[in-house]
Amino acid sequence: MEKLTYLELPNCYKLSNDVIELIVTTDIGPRILRYGFLGEENILGEIPTAVITTELGDWKPWGGHRLWLAPEDNPRSYAPDNLPVEFEIINENKIRLVQPADLATGIEKEMTVAVDEHGSGVAISHFLRNETNASIEVSAWAITIMKDGGEAILPQEPYRSWNEYLLPARPLVLWHYTDLSDPRWTFSNQSIRLRSDSRIEAPQKIGIGNKQGWAAYQRGATLFVKNFDYEQGASYPDYGCNTEVYTAGSVIEVESLGPLRNINPGDSVTHTEHWRLLRGTKSETISPQLEALR
């Protein structure tokens, strides 16, 4: 593990192995700022100068990977995370980042990041802890801003003929600003895809109930994959979404959500993602590639 400055943040730590490197910061967050093959481009987006003003103060996207609260609410979800976090270096490949509970939400956020000894694998555990005096219903929402110029990919459920199975496969959720005729969308019987386009500022978003347990992002010959659990029968935010994709201009996000939980004072919820990077993977063949990884 190496301490360094990244995005002009002086207290960052690089975790690496023989394949990939990942950078977290302790100056803000908890945030992951970089993830990529050794010496190659960051697959995560970097937008350090962007600012969104809320009644709680200025919230900065920064880019990379963050932990939010769902369902989305402004200002609650946008509570600024511009202050240093507490951290613990567990070993050379694992670090724990904790943002103390803020006055706006009373929720403590924690992210534990562990890089595999070999290969491209990373495990990110997200914790939301209730430090208030009342129960709170909330979902842990893991949001990853990707480097623009690529395409987010959501899996469709496996095809079944109408005379084989009559019930619906899963929810597909639209926002008021979702426009299915937007050229950034591509729909097939295998996937839903959303590409970024810096020339089009209008936002687009879709959410699904994703039983397949993965979402991906293709940029050139690099495929980023995140795996996560789907809990059958659990209640998820946004009419039943555990996976969402969003874009506006050059910003594009791949998001997963844990079940909605009623958290009593002092209790917490956990949501875990597993990341991988693949080389030279064609998007048309990602399903068997991903099944082999699970």
Side-chain angles (χ1 to χ4, degrees):
M1 189 176 295
E2 174 188 351
K3 187 177 180 182
L4 73 167
T5 296
Y6 194 79
L7 297 183
E8 299 185 358
L9 297 170
N11 297 294
C12 299
Y13 290 86
K14 180 169 72 174
L15 292 71
S16 61
N17 58 23
D18 54 340
V19 176
I20 57 97
E21 55 190 19
L22 179 147
I23 295 176
V24 302
T25 180
T26 62
D27 292 302
I28 58 165
R31 298 290 182 104
I32 300 173
L33 300 178
R34 171 175 166 78
Y35 176 51
F37 290 115
L38 287 175
E40 299 184 24
E41 73 174 16
N42 185 8
I43 194 66
L44 306 184
E46 298 177 1
I47 46 175
T49 60
V51 177
I52 296 175
T53 299
T54 79
E55 62 186 67
L56 300 177
D58 287 346
W59 178 80
K60 299 184 68 174
W62 284 102
H65 181 75
R66 67 186 188 270
L67 172 59
W68 256 17
L69 312 180
E72 185 169 4
D73 176 73
N74 193 345
R76 187 185 76 157
S77 300
Y78 293 79
D81 56 358
N82 303 323
L83 298 177
V85 298
E86 300 170 1
F87 69 99
E88 175 189 6
I89 297 174
I90 298 172
N91 57 47
E92 281 297 305
N93 298 92
K94 189 173 184 179
I95 191 168
R96 177 173 172 261
L97 309 166
V98 181
Q99 180 198 39
D102 59 84
L103 296 177
T105 67
I107 296 290
E108 179 184 270
K109 296 177 182 177
E110 177 182 328
M111 193 183 295
T112 300
V113 182
V115 171
D116 289 355
E117 289 188 13
H118 305 286
S120 66
V122 178
I124 304 104
S125 297
H126 310 82
F127 301 86
L128 297 177
R129 188 169 292 106
N130 183 1
E131 297 293 346
T132 74
N133 295 319
S135 295
I136 299 175
E137 186 178 54
V138 72
S139 163
W141 186 7
I143 302 176
T144 311
I145 298 178
M146 311 306 304
K147 186 176 179 65
D148 65 325
E151 187 175 53
I153 306 169
L154 300 180
Q156 298 278 29
E157 294 300 310
Y159 175 81
R160 300 177 75 169
S161 65
W162 71 270
N163 57 348
E164 177 188 8
Y165 197 77
L166 299 178
L167 296 178
R170 52 117 175 99
L172 170 67
V173 180
L174 311 181
W175 273 250
H176 289 284
Y177 53 85
T178 305
D179 178 3
L180 298 182
S181 68
D182 189 295
R184 290 170 290 180
W185 292 112
T186 303
F187 298 87
S188 72
N189 61 356
Q190 292 185 329
S191 64
I192 298 171
R193 302 180 189 177
L194 175 64
R195 65 178 179 86
S196 69
D197 189 331
S198 60
R199 300 167 299 178
I200 307 176
E201 290 295 334
Q204 291 296 317
K205 185 170 185 175
I206 272 181
I208 64 172
N210 180 1
K211 302 174 188 177
Q212 301 306 301
W214 64 264
Y217 185 75
Q218 181 90 40
R219 189 178 190 278
T222 301
L223 182 72
F224 165 86
V225 183
K226 60 167 65 179
N227 287 87
F228 41 86
D229 290 336
Y230 174 79
E231 186 177 325
Q232 188 71 38
S235 177
Y236 284 91
D238 301 336
Y239 296 101
C241 294
N242 71 326
T243 315
E244 297 172 356
V245 290
Y246 169 87
T247 192
S250 61
V251 174
I252 185 163
E253 297 177 343
V254 180
E255 311 166 0
S256 74
L257 303 95
L260 275 170
R261 302 292 194 198
N262 194 43
I263 316 175
N264 292 321
D267 291 342
S268 63
V269 292
T270 306
H271 175 61
T272 300
E273 291 187 340
H274 295 274
W275 291 3
R276 288 173 176 82
L277 284 178
L278 302 175
R279 290 184 186 274
T281 304
K282 294 181 179 179
S283 56
E284 293 83 359
T285 62
I286 63 168
S287 293
Q289 294 280 351
L290 291 163
E291 285 302 316
L293 288 171
R294 296 187 67 181

